[in-house]
Amino acid sequence: MAVRSGAGALERLRAANQRTVLATLASEGPMSRADVVRSTGLSRTTVSSLVADLIRGGQVVETADRGRPHKGGSGRPPVLVALSAPAGAVAGVDFGHEHVRVAVADRAGVVRAEDEVHLDVDADGAQALDRVDAIVRELVERAGFTPEELTAVGMCVPAPIDRRSAGIRTPIMPGWHGLHPGEELRRRLGVPVFADNDANLGALAELTQGAARGAHDVIYIKIASGLGAGIVLGGRLHRGTTGAAGEIGHVQVGEDGPVCRCGHRGCLETLASGPRLMDLLRPAYGETLGWADVQALEASGDRGVRRVLSDAGRQVGRAVADLANSLNPELIVMGGPVGRVPSVVEGVRWAVGRYAQPETSAALRVVAGRLEDRSQVVGAVALAINRVASG
């Protein structure tokens, strides 16, 4: 009896390790076996055996491409392994506060159809989910798939999602309070739906297809109408016990500061978010000033705009420096329409260099994200593929 029990435990461990390898390949793309070892922490022998089993089972394939020798060595380029592209489709849904972007992709992550509509998302969560239900169905057909071929949906919501209840319990999105968005959309579409917040999915997108590809310890900062961080440790998203890890926008920087939409005073978001920066700039540049105008002025070298944006970057960078001192990342990726503006990136870079510990700042880079407005929907697609692949 003890022998059978031991054998069962070994089988469960092997199955769990297989899921780990599949999830790693889903999130990071084609990798050498040595890179899988470094990403998962599994032994070289275990990874070799697992990959061989997964290739025999048709879940993983060796690609025609070759990788680079480890640490720039001159040895033979390693063979890369990747997830096979099984039949079926996934969808990614990006809920902003004022828009919805939806993409339908094959199981290899190639987007076949995509659309964006403007919508007051915050006001009525149920109505927004109804609209997305219709858009997903339309795009599945446009992409050449049947409804039955849709296997999963990844969803981005611009608010923390409680990992214990999968619900939203925040005043930031009043029309969603108490909703369980993943379950609500699953009920409409009839397929599994996996929800996460916008900063986490921006981090996942940059990790799989953007500026953080190949990195393992990353802080992704999204600055838009709000401010949040996605944290990647050891190549995996770190969400925290309740899913609230990375809420850097609600770090208090002044006890007597402005009231934040979260209900507290003096949050970083009240000093450096998009709406706050527009409030600072409009008295000097006119009440009709829009974000596109700000970007154009910044690109043209306008000193006033650059000063305001650089100051905001420095304020964010000081908080990021504290986070970097604790987590010791190799990369900080700036995302969101505000976060990736050059003056903001430079401000963050300056503050990290000034306030992070010397060894910490010397070991990391601060860069702008590469995926621009598509970060969250790309991350949502990656989340759906990841969850399906890992079972």
Side-chain angles (χ1 to χ4, degrees):
M1 186 71 176
V3 172
R4 287 197 296 271
S5 177
L10 288 174
E11 289 174 3
R12 290 193 295 273
L13 177 61
R14 189 169 183 81
N17 287 339
Q18 280 190 342
R19 290 194 295 271
T20 297
V21 170
L22 290 170
T24 300
L25 292 173
S27 66
E28 300 194 24
M31 305 173 70
S32 69
R33 288 168 175 81
D35 283 336
V36 175
V37 170
R38 285 186 282 273
S39 290
T40 62
L42 299 172
S43 73
R44 185 177 296 272
T45 302
T46 298
V47 167
S48 178
S49 174
L50 291 172
V51 169
D53 285 350
L54 291 169
I55 289 174
R56 283 193 292 271
Q59 295 162 279
V60 167
V61 295
E62 291 186 337
T63 74
D65 297 329
R66 294 278 178 150
R68 295 181 180 177
H70 183 48
K71 294 184 177 179
S74 58
R76 185 178 179 183
V79 174
L80 302 183
V81 294
L83 293 181
S84 58
V90 297
V93 178
D94 167 28
F95 281 109
H97 292 288
E98 297 178 350
H99 79 274
V100 176
R101 186 190 293 266
V102 180
V104 170
D106 62 26
R107 294 275 297 277
V110 178
V111 173
R112 301 287 187 84
E114 187 170 336
D115 200 4
E116 180 179 4
V117 297
H118 292 283
L119 187 68
D120 184 359
V121 170
D122 294 2
D124 190 327
Q127 187 177 60
L129 289 163
D130 286 341
R131 184 73 181 274
V132 162
D133 173 30
I135 295 171
V136 169
R137 293 176 187 277
E138 177 187 339
L139 290 183
V140 166
E141 181 178 356
R142 191 191 304 175
F145 295 106
T146 66
E148 293 73 26
E149 289 180 293
L150 182 65
T151 58
V153 177
M155 186 195 323
C156 170
V157 180
I161 296 177
D162 191 314
R163 292 188 71 187
R164 299 163 299 185
S165 67
I168 294 178
R169 303 185 184 280
T170 171
I172 293 173
M173 298 177 70
W176 293 65
H177 186 73
L179 273 181
H180 297 72
E183 175 60 26
E184 289 285 338
L185 191 57
R186 184 208 63 77
R187 184 170 55 80
R188 288 164 170 80
L189 289 170
V191 299
V193 177
F194 308 101
D196 210 331
N197 69 52
D198 51 353
N200 282 345
L201 292 186
L204 183 59
E206 294 290 348
L207 189 70
T208 56
Q209 296 189 29
R213 189 162 187 171
H216 295 89
D217 298 290
V218 180
I219 300 173
Y220 171 85
I221 304 293
K222 182 188 178 187
I223 312 178
S225 57
L227 200 162
I231 299 171
V232 176
L233 300 177
R236 297 186 180 185
L237 278 171
H238 175 73
R239 296 178 173 88
T241 300
T242 67
E247 284 298 307
I248 193 172
H250 301 288
V251 170
Q252 190 180 59
V253 294
E255 291 186 6
D256 298 323
V259 175
C260 180
R261 57 181 176 165
C262 74
H264 292 277
R265 280 188 177 275
C267 293
L268 179 61
E269 185 176 293
T270 66
L271 301 180
S273 64
R276 171 58 176 167
L277 299 182
M278 298 304 292
D279 288 343
L280 290 173
L281 290 167
R282 281 178 176 146
Y285 292 89
E287 292 302 314
T288 61
L289 184 76
W291 185 247
D293 302 317
V294 172
Q295 291 174 299
L297 287 166
E298 195 272 349
S300 71
D302 184 273
R303 290 186 178 182
V305 167
R306 285 192 169 183
R307 177 59 186 269
V308 168
L309 296 177
S310 178
D311 286 351
R314 291 185 180 202
Q315 289 169 324
V316 173
R318 183 154 190 172
V320 171
D322 290 340
L323 191 56
N325 283 336
S326 298
L327 301 180
N328 192 205
E330 61 192 288
L331 192 65
I332 294 169
V333 180
M334 300 300 299
V338 178
R340 62 178 179 266
V341 173
S343 292
V344 175
V345 176
E346 285 300 322
V348 171
R349 187 176 290 128
W350 180 90
V352 169
R354 171 67 177 81
Y355 297 110
Q357 290 295 311
E359 286 189 8
T360 298
S361 64
L364 67 81
R365 294 180 297 125
V366 179
V367 302
R370 294 180 185 168
L371 298 174
E372 300 186 347
D373 293 338
R374 298 188 67 249
S375 291
Q376 278 64 45
V377 77
V378 169
V381 167
L383 176 65
I385 292 172
N386 190 333
R387 291 297 182 87
V388 171
S390 62

